[in-house]
Amino acid sequence: MEQNLSLNLHVLVARLDRMADRILRAEHNISYSRFLALTLVGELGFSTQRALADGLGVTEPSVSRMTAVLAAEGLLDVRPDPAGGNRRQLSLTDEGKRVVASLRQEFEDKLAALVAHSGVPYAEFAEHTARLLATLDRTEQEPTR
């Protein structure tokens, strides 16, 4: 069996993203990208549109449109930065916090069931994924040579 980890990881993540989007749209009428945005703001503290754009890997205008929709839906609070300029400060509303907490656990349970169904031990998969992410974080912090 030929090993092609880079391609397999790409395909796995793309398919998981599509699955998440289908589930969240069908069951909760929210896209996965909007759920990720709310999660990054609430759980990881991405407090500006620029930080959120970087975290999602999209442009600031795209995040500006998304945050306007999330604010209109009562899930996100968007305010001008007290320091001035064009920056916007982001925080979850109480409803946004409730949605993130509820959907995050529900989606985590579905992912855990998928992993268990594959025969891969969930705890090991989670540990290995965390280690890979930590290594990537450290590598990205190192100066390029």
Side-chain angles (χ1 to χ4, degrees):
M1 180 169 130
E2 183 181 339
Q3 297 293 319
N4 192 343
L5 183 59
S6 62
L7 178 60
N8 287 342
L9 283 174
H10 172 75
V11 171
L12 175 64
V13 170
R15 289 182 66 188
L16 285 172
D17 284 352
R18 284 194 306 269
M19 179 190 79
D21 194 63
R22 279 193 311 272
I23 290 168
L24 291 171
R25 284 180 188 273
E27 296 178 10
H28 302 285
N29 198 30
I30 187 169
S31 71
Y32 187 50
S33 61
R34 289 181 182 166
F35 170 70
L36 284 176
L38 293 171
T39 300
L40 289 174
V41 170
E43 306 249 332
L44 301 178
F46 286 56
S47 61
T48 66
Q49 286 186 185
R50 176 177 300 247
L52 183 56
D54 289 345
L56 292 172
V58 299
T59 65
E60 284 189 65
S62 176
V63 163
S64 181
R65 288 187 297 274
M66 182 187 299
T67 57
V69 170
L70 292 170
E73 292 175 353
L75 302 172
L76 192 64
D77 187 31
V78 182
R79 297 176 186 249
D81 190 322
N86 240 1
R87 292 170 41 123
R88 300 283 180 258
Q89 298 257 308
L90 307 174
S91 61
L92 295 182
T93 62
D94 288 342
E95 178 63 9
K97 290 174 188 173
R98 187 197 64 72
V99 166
V100 168
S102 169
L103 296 184
R104 187 186 58 77
Q105 187 58 55
E106 180 181 324
F107 188 67
E108 184 68 20
D109 292 345
K110 287 181 191 257
L111 184 58
L114 176 70
V115 171
H117 185 69
S118 75
V120 174
Y122 177 83
E124 288 181 37
F125 185 73
E127 179 187 343
H128 289 276
T129 301
R131 286 173 53 191
L132 284 167
L133 286 170
T135 300
L136 187 57
D137 287 345
R138 283 192 307 277
T139 303
E140 289 176 343
Q141 299 302 320
E142 294 173 0
T144 56
R145 297 177 194 159

